[in-house]
Amino acid sequence: VPAAVRALGRVGLDDVRGHLDGGIAAWRAAGRPLAQLAQLTPQQLHARRQGGEALAVVDVRSDAEWDEGHIAGAVHILGGELAGRLDELPAARPLVLACGSGYRSTVAASVLARNGVDGLINMTGGMQAWNQAGLPTEREAALAA
């Protein structure tokens, strides 16, 4: 638990109020509802956007990571600031969340879902996988929020 709290704090989520004793198995055994987060690989995301599908991208990485290169047309909102900046999310759905490796975007999806946002998809592998696939990025700081 302490390691998880530290990891969440590093991405701006520092109001951890508890943990699930027994993990997901205990949750399931108690008959609690489960939800799944849809996943898209970078290649699938790129192909679907190239095909004209309206998939809005929200990049939850740090300013420095954003400045190194991001997906064209993405909206930049730090993961730890999402709950306070819901009005800045693109109106289009679904929203594809992207980070460096796929971890922070998964946490960001949880924050958004908890705030009533639906139509969420995680980009599997994050920008690391996007870049490894040789997909295009932009570096213009003018798109940063």
Side-chain angles (χ1 to χ4, degrees):
V1 173
V5 170
R6 276 192 304 278
L8 290 169
R10 289 182 183 131
V11 297
L13 301 169
D14 53 10
D15 187 23
V16 178
R17 297 180 185 195
H19 72 279
L20 180 58
D21 217 9
I24 195 69
W27 185 269
R28 185 176 289 131
R32 300 288 198 163
L34 293 173
Q36 292 183 320
L37 177 60
Q39 304 286 317
L40 278 180
T41 67
Q43 295 89 336
Q44 291 168 325
L45 172 60
H46 183 67
R48 288 172 64 173
R49 290 181 86 208
Q50 290 294 313
E53 191 170 341
L55 293 167
V57 177
V58 178
D59 189 321
V60 299
R61 298 177 300 152
S62 71
D63 292 340
E65 290 171 301
W66 168 267
D67 289 343
E68 288 175 5
H70 51 271
I71 297 170
V75 172
H76 181 219
I77 303 174
L78 295 173
E81 297 177 1
L82 277 171
R85 296 176 63 186
L86 296 175
D87 59 330
E88 297 176 42
L89 291 172
R93 295 293 188 273
L95 292 180
V96 180
L97 298 157
C99 68
S101 65
Y103 173 74
R104 288 175 286 174
S105 54
T106 301
V107 174
S110 177
V111 169
L112 292 175
R114 187 172 61 235
N115 280 279
V117 179
D118 59 5
L120 302 171
I121 300 172
N122 183 56
M123 185 175 78
T124 307
M127 289 302 294
Q128 182 178 46
W130 180 276
N131 291 330
Q132 285 175 347
L135 297 170
T137 60
E138 289 186 339
R139 294 184 187 262
E140 296 88 54
L143 294 176

